Amino acid sequence: MDRYNPKKIEAKWKKKWLSAKIYEPDFLHGKSPFYNLMMFPYPSAEGLHIGGVRTFTGVDIYGRFKRMQGLDVFEPIGLDGFGIHSENYALKIGKHPARLAKITEKNFYRQLSEIGNGFAWEERLETYDPEYYKWTQWIFTQLFKHGLAYRKKAAVNWCPSCKTVLADEQVIAGKCERCSAVVEKRELEQWFFKITDYAERLLQNIEKIDWDEKVKIAQKNWIGKSEGALIRFPLAIKADFVLLHGYKGSPERDFFPWMKIELEKRGFSVYAPELPHPSEPNIEEQVNFLLKNHTFGENTILITHSLGGVDAMKLLPRLSTKIKTLIMVAPPLRTEFLDGENRPALEKATDWKFDFGGIKNKVSKIIVIQDIHDRIVPASHPEEIAKKLGAELKKVIAPAPHFNSSEANDVLTEAVPTIEVFTTRPDTLFGATYMVVGPEHELVKNLKLQVKNYEEVEAYVKSAKAKSDEERIAEGKEKTGVELKGVKAINPANKEEIPVFVADYVLGNVGTGAIMAVPAHDKRDFDFAKKFKLPIKIVICPHWPEKTCPLLDVAYTGEGHLVDSGAFDGTPSKEARKKISDFVGGVWKIQYRIRDWLISRQRYWGPPIPMIFCDSCGWNSVPENDLPVKLPFVKNFRPTGSGKSPLASVKSFYETKCPKCRAGARRETDVSDTFLDSAWYFIGYLMTFENWKLKIGNSAFSRLARKWLPVNMYIGGLEHSVLHLLYSRFITMALHDMGHLNFEEPFTTFIGHGLITKDGAKMSKSKGNVVNPDEYIRAYGADAMRMYLAFLAPLTEGGDFRDSGIKGITRFLERTWKFVGEYVTKNPKSDPPAGGRNPKQIQNSKSEIQKAVHRAVKKVAEDIERLQYNTAISALMVLLNEFEKKLESVTREHIETFLKLLAPFAPFIAEELYQRTQKGKFKSIHREPWPKYDESILKESSFDLIIQVNGKVRGKISLPTGATEVKAREAALKVPSVKQFVPVEPKRIIFVPDKLINFVV
């Protein structure tokens, strides 16, 4: 018998399995598809980590088991190679990430090929392959076309170390989840995905999926559903309004009738004239008409639409008084328009020359509102006007192109500043005695001219933004803030004016970024009010109908009846919520904690975002035929920290043509978040079939997707609960809604794996206890490594790696090699003869072995299904012990069964030994059917009945299996050691069939 040589047999079977395509599924004709997925690795420079080996081999054990159960298992592998991790390491060692990727790819695939997994190697993929990221970019363009991708300026998380923005999900306790640097806030123009549009479906579907409960809870909390009211608190301002319509317009068209009603409801006077000859306008004539018929004063707010903006720009220099505000909606600057329509009347309307200095001198504040999807006025017009006038430029998506809509909330919000709050407790509205806006709230900047202590406010905002969110909202932290002096809000319930503060305990990126403060019924508001000596008004009484409420030492946050709330006094607080919301014109809605997915990254190593900006046409996606937008080789790829990607300095990359008008345009130079790469890779594996000839949505792909998707089993890390897993669900739902997929949840089952330690401590380089799998595979072989990692603990739990443990597994494999090898050598053709042994002994021994084999088959199958590999391996060890004790009763069939049970855990040795028991044509053990057990063989004819008296064991007796309670009682009471403790009739008898009887006396 030759010695067990893992290196030799592993090399042999790796080659054989690859050539025989043992693990390649029949994509087109497979009858029972089973997609067995593991989280593809990020290829670090250090190579495959031992934790990764445990996960990958753990997933593989399950896949091998399912394959032997007759399923067509697809178990692919690839590399998640784009992203900051790879780029940072490339910077550290002075290599280009594109060149480094080829090195790490080779090393990772070498390591992955040595761990004994049944990978479908022909379908592997890498996220940095242009064939792959072509489709990452395609998904981006589809989201943009369907209104799910947009660009806006926002306060974003900025990692000063990684020099890029981070999504909310990538900030852990105020630090970058990659490098642990303290995250800062920056105002940047960024791309976002509207994952918030899917918040409710993402939440509802959690109940339908078979996922790890920890992940489901994490996602529910992250989505953060709450029900309440959106309530607007108008600011106390003095104003009269003038509305100027545009070309061919009138005060009865577009959003003007609605705007007039809304302003008058708020108590303002509104002048909305019909300008002379709107279809054949003469701007000079219209300006004279306005000067003659209306008096403009210091409280005038002028709102214009389209050509009305030209009237305003010609009017203002001629006014004798400076007005309060000018709001221009979609104003033109020249007679060039996007729709190509000739408008000769506008050519003659005016000279189109403007006194921008004179305009600025006659208005305190100017706001220009641009419709991102305007089909008439080019984007360059409002942008140029805003620049020349030093105005605020607001880019919005209008309800209808060019604001030809019946309502215009964006315009109303600018005209009448309000503070919008979301509250789950509108029943406490009468108790709101002040308001708080977060330091990031745009109102702070917009009210600069009204705030009398703006320098103090500005200094406070700067210091607050330097703190992390966690630091700002920490429990017990002393409350700080500054009043916006000169600004008052109006409580819509009682019409009282209340002060407005900026304070850091309100986060600008959560909810509306503002709160109504009800100090009597909110702990944070109570602490703030105490410090700043603000009124604390009780409006929820817990001991109604007594109306006298005591002075509060702490906020009362419970339910009760309303007091000091006008007509609502005596109303139960729950009942009052909707009533008070309706009373003040609130909007009852469901709100979510989740924020839109920030997708832009100002780095190099990632897929370029496939968008193009044209001065005339705005943002457009790169046409599908022009994908992929290839990442150019840039020698200096170091991040700049300026908020711009290194690609922004590559003129040959960013200079391009507009896909619509073919004029000169500019590419987006940011790259997309690496989590977009991994959000769809499970689809990508199928697309590699036939070398990327399949396209998402075409008939060939759809047939394959219907057959193989969604993924049946997905095993991975719980740390991805609200990152990869949530993003994958969103992308899948979006593609489903676009008609590209026939399912909306990507993974039928998801199970989180545990983490392992080394000698009781977390693995780290500084501790010198990082386990290099290469060393252990060289020393002990892949089978020993696989089995030991599986033996540590159930896959869902953590375990501690110790060298002594792997040595024990090696001894087990050597015993297996020796036992099976010697058996086959001695009995090359059949089972051993009985010899001169006692026939009855032989029969009993065979019966015991038969029972042990069937017991093991049942146990191993059940344990693998539950991912409790450690106890499955224990069962194999027990069975081998039985074989060694009763060698003469072991048959070839028993050994083949044992090897099949061993195969998922130790595929190489199982294949080698199994083939030694076979004759004829090669058939891999991994394609053989899983053994079955006979329940009747496992059924015992008798059992030991445990006898207890008052819960204490007093004896034991053997009875036939299935004995009734009466029989058990009779037999038990005859046992002398029991009889003495039961002198009288028992008060109660507890009987567990085939296990125990307990007499209570």
Side-chain angles (χ1 to χ4, degrees):
M1 176 67 189
D2 53 337
R3 287 189 62 188
Y4 173 47
N5 185 339
K7 189 174 181 180
K8 181 179 177 183
I9 65 168
E10 287 169 12
K12 170 186 173 181
W13 290 112
K14 273 196 299 181
K15 186 177 179 181
K16 178 68 175 176
W17 292 336
L18 205 57
S19 64
K21 298 188 176 182
I22 295 298
Y23 306 120
E24 290 296 331
D26 186 343
F27 283 105
L28 300 178
H29 306 107
K31 294 180 180 178
S32 303
F34 187 87
Y35 196 152
N36 190 48
L37 185 65
M38 61 199 74
M39 288 184 176
F40 65 165
Y42 136 68
S44 66
E46 292 84 3
L48 196 58
H49 187 273
I50 192 66
V53 176
R54 183 186 186 227
T55 303
F56 299 151
T57 55
V59 176
D60 183 64
I61 288 167
Y62 193 79
R64 288 180 178 279
F65 171 61
K66 288 296 173 183
R67 188 179 290 109
M68 293 177 76
Q69 284 189 322
L71 302 181
D72 295 289
V73 174
F74 178 39
E75 187 178 299
I77 193 64
L79 298 177
D80 187 13
F82 259 151
I84 287 178
H85 282 304
S86 300
E87 187 177 325
N88 283 352
Y89 186 74
L91 286 165
K92 182 179 177 182
I93 65 171
K95 274 192 181 297
H96 195 280
R99 290 175 177 146
L100 182 63
K102 294 302 177 186
I103 298 168
T104 55
E105 177 184 320
K106 185 178 179 181
N107 184 45
F108 255 73
Y109 283 149
R110 174 193 63 78
Q111 289 184 300
L112 288 165
S113 71
E114 290 176 356
I115 63 176
N117 273 30
F119 290 130
W121 281 105
E122 292 183 5
E123 285 70 46
R124 67 184 180 273
L125 56 79
E126 299 82 39
T127 57
Y128 46 78
D129 178 356
E131 289 284 8
Y132 183 86
Y133 69 75
K134 168 185 177 178
W135 292 98
T136 304
Q137 293 172 336
W138 179 86
I139 289 170
F140 193 110
T141 64
Q142 296 303 302
L143 293 173
F144 178 75
K145 289 173 184 176
H146 287 82
L148 292 171
Y150 65 95
R151 198 171 192 264
K152 73 169 184 178
K153 192 168 189 178
V156 296
N157 303 307
W158 177 268
C159 175
S161 174
C162 295
K163 292 184 173 65
T164 190
V165 298
L166 304 172
D168 287 347
E169 295 87 342
Q170 291 165 311
V171 180
I172 311 296
K175 295 181 179 179
C176 173
E177 57 100 18
R178 291 190 179 96
C179 69
S180 297
V182 175
V183 172
E184 303 170 355
K185 291 286 185 182
R186 281 198 185 183
E187 288 270 340
L188 294 172
E189 284 261 351
Q190 303 288 296
W191 285 99
F192 293 84
F193 286 164
K194 293 180 77 172
I195 193 172
T196 51
D197 280 10
Y198 284 79
E200 185 61 28
R201 266 169 75 190
L202 289 166
L203 191 63
Q204 293 299 324
N205 276 18
I206 287 174
E207 302 307 323
K208 303 176 186 177
I209 52 180
D210 179 22
W211 280 28
D212 193 302
E213 201 59 35
K214 292 175 186 172
V215 176
K216 292 168 80 167
I217 291 169
Q219 291 205 359
K220 282 180 186 178
N221 292 340
W222 189 259
I223 294 167
K225 181 178 180 179
S226 56
E227 193 170 351
L230 269 177
I231 297 173
R232 290 176 184 263
F233 286 67
L235 296 186
I237 61 168
K238 292 179 181 178
D240 60 90
F241 285 86
V242 176
L243 310 182
L244 300 184
H245 64 76
Y247 175 54
K248 294 184 179 180
S250 85
E252 303 305 320
R253 281 190 57 187
D254 299 321
F255 61 85
F256 275 34
W258 170 85
M259 179 68 70
K260 188 170 186 291
I261 291 169
E262 288 297 320
L263 292 171
E264 287 175 342
K265 272 197 313 191
R266 289 161 171 76
F268 298 110
S269 67
V270 181
Y271 175 59
E274 181 163 350
L275 297 172
H277 308 107
S279 297
E280 295 286 336
N282 181 306
I283 300 299
E284 181 73 14
E285 178 188 17
Q286 291 182 346
V287 168
N288 288 334
F289 171 85
L290 290 167
L291 290 169
K292 179 181 178 181
N293 290 284
H294 189 74
T295 301
F296 294 83
E298 62 180 10
N299 291 322
T300 298
I301 296 178
L302 180 57
I303 302 175
T304 72
H305 178 224
S306 195
L307 189 65
V310 176
D311 281 300
M313 289 192 288
K314 288 291 189 180
L315 167 72
L316 281 167
R318 295 176 59 183
L319 293 179
S320 57
T321 307
K322 193 173 188 177
I323 68 169
K324 192 183 196 81
T325 307
L326 168 63
I327 301 172
M328 289 191 282
V329 180
L333 185 60
R334 291 175 285 276
T335 55
E336 55 181 40
F337 301 102
L338 296 174
D339 58 3
E341 184 181 325
N342 288 323
R343 295 176 173 83
L346 297 188
E347 295 278 359
K348 297 182 292 182
T350 186
D351 60 4
W352 293 93
K353 295 176 182 177
F354 303 100
D355 177 6
F356 292 108
I359 297 167
K360 288 196 284 187
N361 288 335
K362 292 298 172 69
V363 60
S364 297
K365 183 178 181 180
I366 305 173
I367 298 168
V368 179
I369 301 177
Q370 173 192 339
D371 173 21
I372 292 171
H373 296 154
D374 203 321
R375 295 174 185 168
I376 297 175
V377 174
S380 59
H381 288 208
E383 288 171 359
E384 193 174 334
I385 290 170
K387 188 175 181 180
K388 287 180 181 294
L389 292 175
E392 286 183 48
L393 177 65
K394 304 282 185 179
K395 297 182 180 183
V396 302
I397 297 174
H402 195 57
F403 281 93
N404 293 131
S405 53
S406 59
E407 296 183 6
N409 274 304
D410 288 308
V411 181
L412 181 63
T413 300
E414 298 301 334
V416 184
T418 59
I419 302 176
E420 188 176 62
V421 303
F422 175 80
T423 175
T424 59
R425 295 294 304 267
D427 51 312
T428 66
L429 181 56
F430 281 86
T433 58
Y434 65 99
M435 301 200 74
V436 181
V437 296
E440 301 85 0
H441 201 289
E442 62 177 8
L443 191 76
V444 178
K445 184 172 61 178
N446 291 346
L447 295 178
K448 183 175 181 178
L449 297 176
Q450 288 175 244
V451 177
K452 295 175 181 178
N453 58 332
Y454 193 77
E455 285 186 9
E456 181 188 9
V457 170
E458 193 173 35
Y460 178 81
V461 167
K462 186 177 180 181
S463 67
K465 284 183 176 181
K467 301 173 187 175
S468 70
D469 289 355
E470 283 71 18
E471 189 181 350
R472 284 166 57 178
I473 63 174
E475 191 71 29
K477 174 187 169 289
E478 184 184 359
K479 298 294 180 285
T480 63
V482 175
E483 184 182 354
L484 304 181
K485 291 178 180 175
V487 177
K488 298 285 185 184
I490 299 171
N491 184 325
N494 54 25
K495 307 304 180 186
E496 293 177 2
E497 289 191 3
I498 56 177
V500 180
F501 286 78
V502 58
D504 63 4
Y505 78 92
V506 174
L507 301 178
N509 59 346
V510 175
T512 64
I515 63 161
M516 63 177 211
V518 185
H521 305 293
D522 181 276
K523 184 181 183 304
R524 295 180 309 164
D525 298 345
F526 183 87
D527 294 342
F528 191 91
K530 281 285 190 184
K531 178 173 179 178
F532 288 91
K533 297 181 173 55
L534 296 165
I536 298 174
K537 181 181 176 184
I538 296 171
V539 292
I540 305 293
C541 182
H543 46 261
W544 179 268
E546 292 181 32
K547 296 183 181 180
T548 305
C549 292
L551 290 172
L552 295 176
D553 294 324
V554 293
Y556 174 69
T557 59
E559 302 291 347
H561 289 72
L562 269 64
V563 294
D564 208 2
S565 298
F568 298 96
D569 281 1
T571 308
S573 53
K574 285 185 179 178
E575 183 185 320
R577 285 172 193 160
K578 187 74 168 58
K579 288 182 177 179
I580 290 183
S581 173
D582 293 342
F583 172 65
V584 298
V587 178
W588 195 259
K589 65 172 289 185
I590 291 168
Q591 187 154 298
Y592 303 90
R593 176 180 180 270
I594 190 173
R595 291 286 151 262
D596 281 339
W597 177 6
L598 173 56
I599 204 75
S600 304
R601 296 295 179 270
Q602 292 71 42
R603 297 293 292 243
Y604 167 72
W605 191 234
I609 290 176
M611 299 297 296
I612 294 171
F613 182 77
C614 168
D615 285 339
S616 298
C617 305
W619 284 102
N620 284 287
S621 57
V622 173
E624 188 173 333
N625 291 339
D626 293 340
L627 296 177
V629 178
K630 288 191 176 181
L631 181 68
F633 187 92
V634 178
K635 192 172 182 181
N636 182 16
F637 62 91
R638 185 174 292 276
T640 63
S642 64
K644 292 184 178 180
S645 160
L647 292 177
S649 63
V650 184
K651 193 175 181 181
S652 60
F653 173 79
Y654 66 71
E655 284 191 343
T656 188
K657 299 284 185 184
C658 173
K660 274 192 174 179
C661 70
R662 304 309 297 168
R666 183 183 178 92
R667 287 191 192 281
E668 172 61 76
T669 55
D670 284 355
V671 298
S672 57
D673 180 12
T674 185
F675 279 106
L676 179 57
D677 304 337
S678 59
W680 71 277
Y681 78 109
F682 63 98
I683 299 170
Y685 281 131
L686 286 181
M687 295 174 68
T688 62
F689 177 60
E690 296 189 349
N691 198 27
W692 292 100
K693 290 178 184 175
L694 299 179
K695 296 182 178 181
I696 294 176
N698 71 9
S699 57
F701 169 80
S702 295
R703 282 194 297 272
L704 207 62
R706 280 194 297 272
K707 190 180 187 75
W708 289 92
L709 291 170
V711 170
N712 298 91
M713 172 62 91
Y714 194 21
I715 298 175
L718 293 171
E719 69 273 17
H720 295 292
S721 296
V722 295
L723 289 160
H724 161 62
L725 291 171
L726 193 60
Y727 294 156
S728 293
R729 293 183 63 214
F730 161 62
I731 293 296
T732 303
M733 283 183 185
L735 291 175
H736 167 268
D737 290 354
M738 294 172 200
H740 300 305
L741 299 174
N742 69 321
F743 57 93
E744 63 176 26
E745 286 293 342
F747 317 120
T748 305
T749 298
F750 174 81
I751 296 175
H753 61 73
L755 302 175
I756 60 173
T757 54
K758 176 73 166 77
D759 298 325
K762 184 179 178 180
M763 292 186 204
S764 71
K765 289 181 187 176
S766 60
K767 292 177 182 174
N769 66 346
V770 173
V771 175
N772 182 346
D774 287 353
E775 295 173 11
Y776 285 85
I777 289 173
R778 277 196 295 269
Y780 302 102
D783 282 338
M785 170 67 83
R786 288 170 62 97
M787 280 198 79
Y788 176 58
L789 292 171
F791 191 57
L792 285 175
L795 188 59
T796 54
E797 297 176 17
D800 190 43
F801 191 101
R802 295 178 185 270
D803 291 357
S804 57
I806 196 168
K807 289 173 184 174
I809 290 291
T810 302
R811 287 192 293 271
F812 168 75
L813 291 174
E814 287 171 344
R815 281 170 54 210
T816 299
W817 179 268
K818 184 174 183 288
F819 181 84
V820 177
E822 288 181 354
Y823 183 96
V824 173
T825 301
K826 291 176 183 176
N827 310 286
K829 295 183 179 180
S830 62
D831 295 331
R837 291 171 293 168
N838 183 313
K840 188 174 181 180
Q841 286 179 332
I842 292 170
Q843 188 60 39
N844 288 340
S845 179
K846 282 187 175 180
S847 175
E848 289 171 10
I849 284 292
Q850 187 79 336
K851 193 174 287 184
V853 170
H854 282 254
R855 191 184 300 117
V857 171
K858 183 175 190 288
K859 175 70 173 166
V860 172
E862 289 174 350
D863 286 352
I864 291 179
E865 196 64 63
R866 293 192 294 256
L867 306 183
Q868 293 179 348
Y869 302 151
N870 55 327
T871 49
I873 292 170
S874 293
L876 289 171
M877 292 174 171
V878 169
L879 184 56
L880 182 60
N881 288 341
E882 289 294 311
F883 283 179
E884 290 171 335
K885 287 178 191 173
K886 301 179 177 68
L887 175 60
E888 71 284 352
S889 302
V890 177
T891 67
R892 188 176 292 262
E893 183 183 348
H894 293 152
I895 287 177
E896 289 176 357
T897 299
F898 172 80
L899 291 174
K900 287 177 183 178
L901 299 182
L902 179 66
F905 303 100
F908 294 110
I909 192 173
E911 184 78 276
E912 177 66 27
L913 294 175
Y914 183 74
Q915 296 309 322
R916 294 188 183 195
T917 68
Q918 302 301 298
K919 298 169 188 174
K921 191 176 179 182
F922 165 73
K923 186 178 181 185
S924 174
I925 190 173
H926 303 295
R927 289 284 185 178
E928 291 284 14
W930 187 257
K932 294 181 179 178
Y933 65 91
D934 187 338
E935 194 67 60
S936 65
I937 292 174
L938 295 177
K939 196 170 183 180
E940 300 285 350
S941 59
S942 64
F943 75 99
D944 287 335
L945 178 73
I946 305 297
I947 308 168
Q948 295 178 340
V949 179
N950 289 343
K952 290 187 177 181
V953 177
R954 297 300 184 185
K956 187 166 68 172
I957 190 172
S958 181
L959 289 177
T961 301
T964 64
E965 181 178 340
V966 173
K967 293 285 186 186
R969 173 180 171 161
E970 287 177 1
L973 289 175
K974 289 177 182 177
V975 177
S977 61
V978 175
K979 198 172 182 181
Q980 61 177 312
F981 291 103
V982 190
V984 295
E985 185 70 19
K987 289 182 179 180
R988 192 157 57 99
I989 297 174
I990 300 166
F991 176 65
V992 181
D994 296 341
K995 287 189 177 179
L996 67 82
I997 189 165
N998 180 23
F999 298 104
V1000 181
V1001 298

